[in-house]
């Protein structure tokens, strides 16, 4: 996508989402101090930034890719190859690192676990790649249905998306009330994220509220609601539930609170993009930096966990001895800087630039 066609608030959302994910994986390390430590609320606050960051990432995929007419060849070449090539490269890097520093020799079973994103392994974050691949296949299938329907009925796409959005909301509601368990299996869990794909497209491409209410009011309301919801989530649910049960308790992605929080943040930046504030940022150096950061977000996702792991193993005492309000953000900044430098270098080297994940 060239610069003239970019949607800047998508870049902002993507940048915020990847920062939230890095914060989560950095903060997990500090949970070793226990849920009853005085620092636990700080750790929980940073860790749970992931809980709306992942849905926003998925919603952005829906906003960008749903209702597009891609051929099967273009889909696999342009969509899946952009995921798989950098992903497989970084799997090899993780396996090589683990073989030298963790296993002290090659282990095929553990290597497969990294590839599959198995929980408790160095590749734990790679579950997201398999989920996105499943969602991409879902997007391709939905787009083919839309194309088929549009050839036979006018405005079929609009009607079909509204129906899918309604079904997606119902799905999350029945998951919230325990009528269906989206965590029943890994495949069901991955397929469940298609609900956020559809919701993301619907929000990005419809403006029912904006026709009746001033954008400034929508911005203020969504900002306040987002702050209240996240504050309640951390200090009204996560912290008290975790301390009472003596283990870290948080909500999954398929519940009403996380849905409303994620949607509010998405809508906030959608309407903020209509103001001079975000327009001015887009046209200056800060906007250029956000765009570059957004471009490297996928590569950053792929490589950041290995860097966090290495820093945690080698500098445990340094980070734990600091105030967590300082040490967690400091770890995040260090990880992001190192990651971006690595990705920038890869991007400048012929052939290796395909592994940077830059979009």
């Amino acid at each position: 996508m060239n610069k003239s066609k970019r949607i800047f608030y998508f870049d902002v959302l993507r940048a915020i989402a990847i920062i939230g994910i890095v914060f989560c994986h950095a903060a997990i390390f500090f949970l070793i101090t226990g849920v009853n430590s005085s620092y636990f609320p700080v750790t929980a606050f940073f860790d749970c930034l992931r809980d709306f960051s992942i849905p926003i990432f998925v919603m952005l995929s829906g906003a960008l890719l749903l209702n597009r007419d891609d051929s099967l060849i273009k889909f696999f070449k342009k969509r899946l190859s952009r995921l798989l090539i950098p992903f497989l490269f970084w799997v090899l890097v993780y396996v090589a690192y683990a073989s030298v520093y963790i296993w002290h020799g090659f282990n095929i079973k553990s290597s497969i676990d990294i590839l599959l994103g198995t929980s408790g392994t160095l590749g734990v974050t790679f579950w997201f790649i398999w989920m996105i691949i499943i969602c991409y296949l879902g997007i391709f299938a939905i787009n083919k249905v839309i194309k088929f329907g549009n050839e036979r009925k006018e405005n079929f796409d609009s009607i079909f998306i509204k129906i899918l959005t309604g079904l997606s909301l119902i799905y999350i509601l029945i998951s919230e009330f325990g009528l269906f368990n989206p965590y029943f299996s890994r495949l069901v869990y991955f397929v469940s994220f298609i609900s956020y794909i559809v919701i993301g497209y619907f929000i990005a491409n419809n403006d029912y509220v904006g026709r009746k209410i001033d954008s400034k009011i929508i911005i203020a309301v969504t900002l306040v609601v987002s702050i209240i919801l996240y504050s309640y989530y951390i200090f009204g649910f996560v912290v008290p539930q975790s301390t009472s049960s003596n283990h870290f308790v948080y909500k999954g992605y398929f519940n009403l609170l996380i849905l409303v929080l994620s949607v509010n943040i998405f809508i906030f930046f959608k309407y903020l993009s209509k103001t001079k504030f975000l327009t001015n940022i887009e046209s200056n150096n800060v906007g250029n930096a956000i765009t570059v950061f957004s471009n490297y977000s996928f590569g950053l996702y792929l490589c950041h966990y290995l860097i966090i792991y290495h820093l945690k193993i080698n500098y445990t005492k340094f980070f734990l001895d600091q105030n967590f309000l300082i040490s967690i953000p400091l770890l995040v900044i260090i990880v992001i800087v190192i990651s971006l430098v690595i990705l920038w270098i890869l991007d400048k080297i012929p052939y290796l630039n395909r592994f940077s994940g830059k979009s």
Side-chain angles (χ1 to χ4, degrees):
M1 184 180 294
N2 60 46
K3 191 171 181 63
S4 63
K5 292 183 179 180
R6 295 194 76 92
I7 300 175
F8 182 62
Y9 85 89
F10 284 4
D11 285 327
V12 176
L13 281 170
R14 193 177 292 108
I16 289 171
I18 189 60
I19 291 172
I21 290 169
V22 176
F23 260 108
C24 162
H25 294 144
I28 286 175
F29 167 54
F30 296 86
L31 284 172
I32 62 175
T33 58
V35 297
N36 292 306
S37 75
S38 58
Y39 279 124
F40 176 66
V42 176
T43 308
F45 181 89
F46 288 130
D47 184 282
C48 290
L49 291 174
R50 157 211 56 207
D51 293 352
F52 63 80
S53 296
I54 292 291
I56 286 175
F57 252 134
V58 179
M59 289 163 71
L60 284 169
S61 294
L64 287 166
L65 302 178
L66 210 58
N67 202 7
R68 297 182 64 167
D69 185 16
D70 285 347
S71 67
L72 187 62
I73 294 175
K74 182 179 179 182
F75 173 76
F76 280 101
K77 184 177 180 181
K78 190 173 182 180
R79 308 294 176 211
L80 284 186
S81 66
R82 285 185 178 178
L83 282 177
L84 290 174
I85 292 174
F87 168 52
L88 294 175
F89 169 79
W90 283 103
V91 167
L92 292 175
V93 172
Y94 276 56
V95 168
Y97 179 92
S99 297
V100 173
Y101 294 103
I102 302 174
W103 311 326
H104 304 294
F106 179 71
N107 186 311
I108 188 166
K109 182 183 180 301
S110 298
S111 299
I112 293 173
D113 285 338
I114 287 177
L115 173 67
L116 296 178
T118 304
S119 179
T121 71
L122 191 60
V124 60
T125 60
F126 290 156
W127 72 269
F128 178 83
I129 311 303
W130 296 108
M131 179 271 288
I132 284 293
I133 289 171
I134 294 294
C135 284
Y136 273 21
L137 293 173
I139 290 171
F140 182 75
I142 291 171
N143 286 348
K144 288 304 174 186
V145 173
I146 289 174
K147 182 182 178 182
F148 179 82
N150 281 340
E151 291 171 351
R152 287 156 180 79
K153 181 178 177 60
E154 188 177 356
N155 293 325
F156 173 84
D157 56 343
S158 178
I159 298 169
F160 186 59
I161 290 294
K162 288 175 184 176
I163 293 172
L164 287 180
T165 303
L167 292 174
S168 297
L169 294 173
I170 291 170
Y171 178 80
I172 293 175
L173 284 173
I174 64 175
S175 300
E176 165 79 14
F177 293 107
L179 300 177
F180 180 77
N181 180 15
Y183 310 98
F184 173 74
S185 70
R186 212 179 196 212
L187 180 60
V188 171
Y189 179 58
F190 290 171
V191 170
S192 298
F193 280 94
I194 294 176
S195 59
Y196 277 107
I197 289 283
V198 175
I199 291 168
Y201 176 85
F202 183 84
I203 294 172
N205 291 277
N206 290 280
D207 196 24
Y208 300 116
V209 178
R211 297 173 188 172
K212 301 177 181 179
I213 304 175
D214 185 83
S215 292
K216 292 180 180 179
I217 296 176
I218 298 173
I219 291 168
V221 170
T222 52
L223 176 61
V224 171
V225 170
S226 297
I227 293 172
I228 291 173
L229 283 178
Y230 194 68
S231 298
Y232 165 75
Y233 178 45
I234 301 302
F235 303 109
F237 176 81
V238 174
V239 172
Q241 289 289 327
S242 298
T243 52
S244 65
S245 62
N246 202 33
H247 67 90
F248 190 28
V249 177
Y250 56 92
K251 290 182 177 290
Y253 300 114
F254 303 101
N255 66 83
L256 193 58
L257 190 151
I258 297 302
L259 170 67
V260 175
L261 176 61
S262 304
V263 167
N264 261 272
I265 294 171
F266 200 106
I267 292 175
F268 170 76
F269 282 102
K270 174 180 177 176
Y271 286 95
L272 190 66
S273 68
K274 301 177 186 293
T275 65
K276 289 184 178 179
F277 174 76
L278 208 60
T279 303
N280 290 337
I281 290 177
E282 181 180 4
S283 59
N284 62 29
N285 290 332
V286 175
N288 292 332
I290 290 172
T291 299
V292 171
F293 192 80
S294 172
N295 286 340
Y296 282 109
S297 61
F298 180 55
L300 184 54
Y301 183 89
L302 291 171
C303 72
H304 80 277
Y305 191 78
L306 180 60
I307 297 167
I308 289 175
Y309 178 86
H310 186 78
L311 290 173
K312 289 191 305 185
I313 294 300
N314 291 282
Y315 302 99
T316 299
K317 188 176 186 304
F318 170 78
F319 287 110
L320 290 181
D321 284 349
Q322 314 302 316
N323 185 308
F324 284 13
L325 278 171
I326 297 172
S327 56
I328 295 177
L330 177 62
L331 178 57
V332 168
I333 292 170
I334 293 171
V335 168
I336 288 176
V337 169
I338 293 174
S339 298
L340 288 177
V341 169
I342 292 171
L343 295 172
W344 182 82
I345 292 171
L346 278 176
D347 193 44
K348 298 302 178 183
I349 302 174
Y351 302 108
L352 292 182
N353 55 7
R354 299 188 69 188
F355 305 137
S356 70
K358 183 179 179 182
S359 62

